[in-house]
Amino acid sequence: MVTIRDQIHGNMQFSEAEMAMIRSKPFERLRYIKQLAFAEFEYPGATHNRYQHSLGVCQCVSDMYDAVNHNSPEFFRDGDIELLRMMGLIHDLGHSPFSHASEELSNITHEQRLTDILELYKKSIIIPNNSGIENWDLVNQVYQGDGYVYLTNPHYITLHSFLDSFLDADKLDYLERDALNCGVSYGNFDRQDLITNLCIVHDDRGNEVLGLREDGIQAFEGFLLARYYMFNRVYFDPIERINRIQFVSAMKELLPDGKYPDNIKKFLGYDDTRFIKRLNFLYSPQYKLIYDSAFDSELLNTISDKLGNMVLIDTPKKNIFRRDESDSNVWVKNSLTGVTRPCTDISPLIRGIQFASVHKLRVYAPTSIADEVKEELLKLVRSKKK
């Protein structure tokens, strides 16, 4: 076993089989891809990377496994922990430089790139496996939530939710890690209590799903509020967002054909360091924020019509929990009665915010004319209110 010390999880243990992946080129590349893209220009401590995060996700999913194994001891099978931990390690391998900031610079998604990377580096994926397919394919299918073996095995569908659900290991790590490195307390929640109360329950269709014991409902409330606060204050920070917009524009000029290469070997040569010194807008701001409010579709159309040729408009949106009534819920089990109910039936707080979203309307103008354009924009705002 190899011990790696983490700022959040303390001593983390990794097997030699897992170290084969951690020492691989695609995983080492994550050292040079920042977790929060350009957030460091507003939060100087936000220089942490996806390498750290991926190790943390592996630890989180192990902690989740231990809790569920204690609370629902009949669920897991041989090989599940190795599969879950490998999914935690590989989940971000397909990201482009500056993470989500440059997704539109690719012809394919980072999930599609992940498939190519896993197949190319399949010798680094060492897990117990009696599924009838190769290790890399099993990890890819269960993580991506697609493929014949995955879709025909309900157990794998439940395992998928450990890395992709409202309560997944990815979110459990990044909220706390991002808040710590940004120097804010918005992302704080009781991770230990939340994980301790994870269990396997049956939803309204009789499916086995990752859920909670009722003692964990307050921790889940704190978790959802942490997501709301972090998107409001950090992930949708206006400085970071305008840097993203300018980054995409600059990279369309710097990249061959304005896109990252589809060839996976060539793609793996790209990370945050390759063009950073040529991104001049980072050191000499070209745009200034002149309007920042909740999203308003009517005002958006007015601004686009009247000032569209002089401004950049950004309308980031993120649902904090459910999108609508048809979306899945988190099911909660009463330890005494065994009765399972959706969390929205138990918590008035969650019921009140279940469809809440962070949705912004931001307007930026070139620095040289920002004051003049702002005056015109404010006239539009005032006329709308009359």
Side-chain angles (χ1 to χ4, degrees):
M1 300 295 286
V2 174
T3 300
I4 298 178
R5 182 76 177 178
D6 181 69
Q7 65 192 119
I8 293 175
H9 303 291
N11 286 342
M12 304 183 296
Q13 303 291 325
F14 298 92
S15 69
E16 284 299 330
E18 290 163 348
M19 291 305 299
M21 171 52 66
I22 293 170
R23 293 176 179 133
S24 69
K25 178 179 178 180
F27 201 90
E28 282 290 328
R29 173 178 170 269
L30 297 179
R31 291 183 184 273
Y32 309 104
I33 297 181
K34 290 187 175 67
Q35 178 75 7
L36 295 182
F38 303 104
E40 65 174 301
F41 290 90
E42 184 71 4
Y43 301 96
T47 57
H48 56 302
N49 54 53
R50 291 196 174 263
Y51 180 95
Q52 299 162 297
H53 167 61
S54 296
L55 296 177
V57 172
C58 182
Q59 181 61 49
C60 272
V61 83
S62 283
D63 295 341
M64 294 170 71
Y65 173 92
D66 290 342
V68 171
N69 197 38
H70 179 268
N71 297 327
S72 305
E74 303 300 319
F75 173 70
F76 287 116
R77 304 172 183 174
D78 290 343
D80 282 353
I81 182 59
E82 291 88 352
L83 173 58
L84 287 170
R85 284 176 61 86
M86 188 59 67
M87 288 162 57
L89 287 176
I90 61 86
H91 80 284
D92 271 351
L93 293 184
H95 271 294
S96 303
F98 295 100
S99 301
H100 296 290
S102 61
E103 288 178 340
E104 66 179 273
L105 296 169
S106 293
N107 293 315
I108 57 179
T109 66
H110 71 268
E111 289 87 2
Q112 291 172 299
R113 291 197 190 279
L114 174 61
T115 300
D116 294 338
I117 292 170
L118 294 181
E119 184 173 14
L120 184 62
Y121 284 86
K122 58 186 175 182
K123 291 182 179 179
S124 299
I125 302 174
I126 306 167
I127 57 171
N129 177 13
N130 60 1
S131 68
I133 57 177
E134 293 185 71
N135 290 345
W136 76 268
D137 198 7
L138 177 62
V139 172
N140 189 55
Q141 286 195 33
V142 180
Y143 173 69
Q144 305 268 25
D146 195 19
Y148 178 78
V149 169
Y150 169 80
L151 292 172
T152 56
N153 191 324
H155 186 76
Y156 287 149
I157 293 174
T158 308
L159 290 184
H160 168 76
S161 66
F162 281 67
L163 272 297
D164 185 13
S165 70
F166 293 128
L167 283 169
D168 65 49
D170 185 24
K171 298 179 183 69
L172 290 174
D173 184 82
Y174 76 62
L175 279 175
E176 189 172 359
R177 189 175 300 278
D178 294 347
L180 176 64
N181 285 281
C182 288
V184 301
S185 60
Y186 306 114
N188 292 340
F189 63 97
D190 196 334
R191 172 172 49 86
Q192 184 175 5
D193 192 42
L194 185 56
I195 290 176
T196 297
N197 283 288
L198 292 174
C199 61
I200 299 298
V201 301
H202 289 89
D203 64 14
D204 54 344
R205 298 180 180 179
N207 300 315
E208 285 189 322
V209 296
L210 182 63
L212 273 178
R213 297 188 304 182
E214 197 162 326
D215 286 348
I217 194 70
Q218 282 76 36
F220 186 51
E221 290 172 345
F223 170 78
L224 291 178
L225 288 175
R227 274 175 58 80
Y228 174 76
Y229 295 143
M230 286 294 284
F231 275 98
N232 234 323
R233 298 292 295 172
V234 175
Y235 302 141
F236 287 170
D237 176 81
I239 302 301
E240 201 277 336
R241 293 291 301 185
I242 187 60
N243 282 340
R244 287 187 180 208
I245 295 170
Q246 293 178 96
F247 170 74
V248 170
S249 178
M251 290 300 288
K252 286 179 178 178
E253 300 296 324
L254 295 173
L255 289 170
D257 300 321
K259 297 282 186 177
Y260 292 117
D262 292 344
N263 180 279
I264 199 61
K265 290 184 178 179
K266 292 181 180 178
F267 172 78
L268 289 174
Y270 288 81
D271 58 38
D272 290 8
T273 67
R274 183 153 180 171
F275 294 107
I276 188 67
K277 292 184 178 179
R278 299 172 65 182
L279 302 178
N280 297 326
F281 65 86
L282 293 173
Y283 316 106
S284 179
Q286 299 173 4
Y287 284 86
K288 182 178 179 180
L289 179 69
I290 62 171
Y291 187 78
D292 184 2
S293 188
F295 181 78
D296 181 324
S297 59
E298 184 179 341
L299 181 58
L300 169 63
N301 292 333
T302 301
I303 294 172
S304 297
D305 290 341
K306 303 294 185 179
L307 302 173
N309 63 331
M310 293 186 286
V311 298
L312 292 178
I313 301 173
D314 186 31
T315 59
K317 180 180 181 181
K318 184 69 177 182
N319 287 92
I320 301 306
F321 185 29
R322 306 172 70 203
R323 292 184 299 274
D324 51 46
E325 289 285 356
S326 67
D327 203 358
S328 58
N329 211 320
V330 170
W331 292 83
V332 180
K333 181 178 182 180
N334 185 292
S335 299
L336 295 177
T337 65
V339 174
T340 300
R341 295 188 292 165
C343 67
T344 47
D345 284 1
I346 298 170
S347 167
L349 189 154
I350 297 176
R351 185 164 57 251
I353 66 169
Q354 63 177 317
F355 305 128
S357 66
V358 180
H359 198 181
K360 301 286 189 178
L361 173 57
R362 300 253 179 75
V363 182
Y364 304 84
T367 304
S368 59
I369 59 171
D371 292 341
E372 296 92 325
V373 177
K374 183 176 181 179
E375 283 298 317
E376 293 301 313
L377 187 149
L378 291 177
K379 290 178 183 178
L380 297 177
V381 174
R382 295 187 195 105
S383 65
K384 180 180 179 299
K385 292 181 178 179
K386 290 180 179 180

